[in-house]
Amino acid sequence: TPPNFHHNFCLSYKFISTTFVSFKTKSTYSNMSGTDVASGAPAEWKKYDSYVLNVDPEQDDRATEIKLCSFSRPHMRAFHFSWLGFFIAFFIWFAIAPLLSEIKITLGLTKKELWTSSIVGVGGTIFMRFLLGPFCDKVGPRVLFTTVLCFASIPTACTGLVSNATNLAVLRLFIGFAGGTFVMCQYWTSRMFTKQVVGTANALVGGWGNLGGGVTQLVMGSALFPLFKEIFKNEPNPAEFAWRWVSIVPAVVAFTIGVCMYFFSDDSPKGNYSELKKNGSMADVSAASSFRSGALNLNTWFLFVQYACCFGVELTMNNAAALYFKDQFSLTTEEAAAIASIFGWMNLFARGLGGFFSDKANAKAGMRGRLWTQTIFLFVEGALVLVFANTASLEGAIVVMVFFSLFVQAAEGSSY
């Protein structure tokens, strides 16, 4: 036997064995879903292998850009459902506002009783926002968005059953739950976009969603209300029949959008929370723990006050603007609703501008830049509300309200 025969034989056997085992291992791994072939370690599960938008893997596959004309899943689909869902939530939340003057006449209510119902409606929203935030961390924004929209559409459809001040207050309490969708709206886009563009993304979806508060004034007060009066023109009191039936329209739309949102969108770039947890890619989160960590952060309460100074003002205007213009300048319900809608229409771009300027300031001066941006917006807003309250002419009040609304929405956008 040649002296190196055994050595060469052993090397050849080892090579063949290693090659066979390696081939078999790779074949096995290639057929195992969610396994990293190179390392043999389990790979993180995610629903999509590729994205239409550019993403940052270091930020959990969040998108680094916003393509407004795209409706691709998951990023831009969530973006558009986020603002659309919040838009219709705002629409049903304030659908009753331009009709309050007619409800006041039918039910013989006082101004104090109307204001009580408006306050209760906002109170319901505050409660829901505290509740929904921690549950977003637990179950994701999509399921909660659908649940709240579909639930709030029911009392909206029941508006026509109101018979006294107590009924009105209770009804608006439950309709006000729709305002809680703001939490899911902002959470969703924060989950989808990187910190470099999230201010702009959040401001856009929040602003376009809040636009529903202006559109509802115009559509409900100046379009659907007169249309329903015409439909019921042969009834003893067409105006009463109109306000009792007209809210069914936005209720049906809200329910439909809620259902579509559930089936045609995703919680996060990598999939729905339920799927991520099932595949071991996401740990289960305690809602109580999430709430506690947020509530104990002092910055939460500073931002709470800052946001109250801008969004709280917008809620007041959405509730009161139509009544104010009708009483102060002796306008019809349709005219007052059309003018009041201008305040909400500014959301189309003003809130986005606030987020844009905040992002720019952040790029140059960090968080200090964001704080200065919001401080300036809040200061100008405060000055203009005093001017608006003391403007005696209709034309002047409209002009001041436009600029007043611009800075209110921009301050909101800078909050994100």
Side-chain angles (χ1 to χ4, degrees):
T1 306
N4 61 346
F5 173 82
H6 291 291
H7 177 68
N8 291 339
F9 176 82
C10 290
L11 288 176
S12 299
Y13 177 80
K14 184 176 181 180
F15 172 77
I16 294 170
S17 300
T18 304
T19 303
F20 175 76
V21 172
S22 176
F23 173 78
K24 184 177 181 181
T25 303
K26 288 183 179 179
S27 299
T28 304
Y29 281 163
S30 66
N31 291 317
M32 290 175 63
S33 176
T35 305
D36 190 330
V37 174
S39 65
E44 183 183 30
W45 181 92
K46 58 183 180 180
K47 187 174 182 178
Y48 300 99
D49 295 325
S50 61
Y51 307 107
V52 174
L53 272 63
N54 293 320
V55 302
D56 183 358
E58 297 298 320
Q59 296 189 49
D60 207 25
D61 284 359
R62 287 175 169 86
T64 61
E65 58 184 346
I66 302 170
K67 293 184 177 180
L68 295 180
C69 294
S70 172
F71 294 87
S72 62
R73 297 178 76 163
H75 302 93
M76 292 311 299
R77 183 71 62 85
F79 177 92
H80 289 297
F81 262 127
S82 183
W83 76 259
L84 180 60
F86 190 42
F87 176 93
I88 194 60
F90 236 85
F91 195 103
I92 63 175
W93 189 10
F94 293 104
I96 202 172
L99 309 175
L100 286 177
S101 58
E102 300 295 336
I103 295 173
K104 178 183 177 183
I105 295 170
T106 301
L107 304 182
L109 303 179
T110 65
K111 186 174 289 188
K112 180 180 178 180
E113 288 172 328
L114 290 180
W115 269 107
T116 298
S117 73
S118 297
I119 293 170
V120 169
V122 174
T125 296
I126 294 172
F127 167 74
M128 286 301 292
R129 291 189 181 192
F130 274 113
L131 183 67
L132 291 169
F135 278 97
C136 274
D137 289 327
K138 186 171 181 64
V139 302
R142 180 182 55 98
V143 175
L144 291 177
F145 222 138
T146 295
T147 302
V148 175
L149 270 184
C150 291
F151 173 83
S153 67
I154 297 172
T156 302
C158 295
T159 298
L161 302 178
V162 169
S163 59
N164 54 51
T166 302
N167 290 166
L168 181 62
V170 173
L171 181 86
R172 297 195 71 183
L173 171 68
F174 289 111
I175 294 176
F177 286 2
T181 55
F182 173 75
V183 175
M184 287 79 83
C185 169
Q186 296 299 288
Y187 183 97
W188 212 352
T189 42
S190 295
R191 196 72 179 81
M192 290 291 180
F193 296 91
T194 62
K195 62 183 180 181
Q196 287 78 14
V197 297
V198 72
T200 302
N202 284 356
L204 284 173
V205 296
W208 292 356
N210 268 32
L211 183 62
V215 174
T216 195
Q217 299 274 357
L218 191 63
V219 172
M220 295 296 290
S222 301
L224 289 180
F225 177 67
L227 174 63
F228 273 66
K229 277 202 301 185
E230 181 64 23
I231 292 173
F232 294 110
K233 63 182 180 180
N234 295 324
E235 299 295 335
N237 191 341
E240 179 180 351
F241 273 83
W243 75 254
R244 288 190 182 277
W245 284 93
V246 71
S247 291
I248 292 177
V249 176
V252 171
V253 175
F255 193 92
T256 303
I257 290 176
V259 172
C260 291
M261 184 181 294
Y262 179 81
F263 288 105
F264 303 114
S265 62
D266 308 283
D267 287 320
S268 72
K270 296 180 179 179
N272 294 322
Y273 280 18
S274 58
E275 297 170 326
L276 291 169
K277 291 175 183 178
K278 180 180 178 181
N279 288 279
S281 297
M282 182 179 183
D284 199 9
V285 177
S286 166
S289 175
S290 175
F291 178 82
R292 185 166 53 252
S293 62
L296 294 178
N297 188 328
L298 189 60
N299 289 322
T300 300
W301 299 104
F302 279 125
L303 196 58
F304 174 89
V305 175
Q306 289 169 262
Y307 197 57
C309 292
C310 47
F311 186 61
V313 170
E314 180 174 10
L315 293 182
T316 303
M317 287 296 291
N318 284 338
N319 274 310
L323 277 173
Y324 173 78
F325 280 106
K326 182 174 182 178
D327 294 343
Q328 189 74 11
F329 301 105
S330 302
L331 304 177
T332 65
T333 298
E334 292 84 352
E335 291 170 338
I339 294 172
S341 72
I342 297 173
F343 189 91
W345 277 102
M346 299 302 290
N347 276 294
L348 189 61
F349 66 93
R351 196 181 279 213
L353 280 178
F356 175 78
F357 282 121
S358 182
D359 281 344
K360 290 297 182 183
N362 177 66
K364 290 188 176 183
M367 182 57 70
R368 181 64 57 185
R370 291 196 189 276
L371 292 172
W372 271 112
T373 301
Q374 188 175 55
T375 298
I376 293 170
F377 287 148
L378 287 173
F379 179 82
V380 179
E381 171 202 325
L384 287 175
V385 72
L386 295 175
V387 177
F388 175 73
N390 291 281
T391 303
S393 68
L394 176 60
E395 295 79 6
I398 294 173
V399 171
V400 175
M401 184 178 71
V402 168
F403 288 98
F404 170 43
S405 178
L406 173 66
F407 282 94
V408 170
Q409 322 303 345
E412 292 170 8
S414 69
S415 300
Y416 309 139

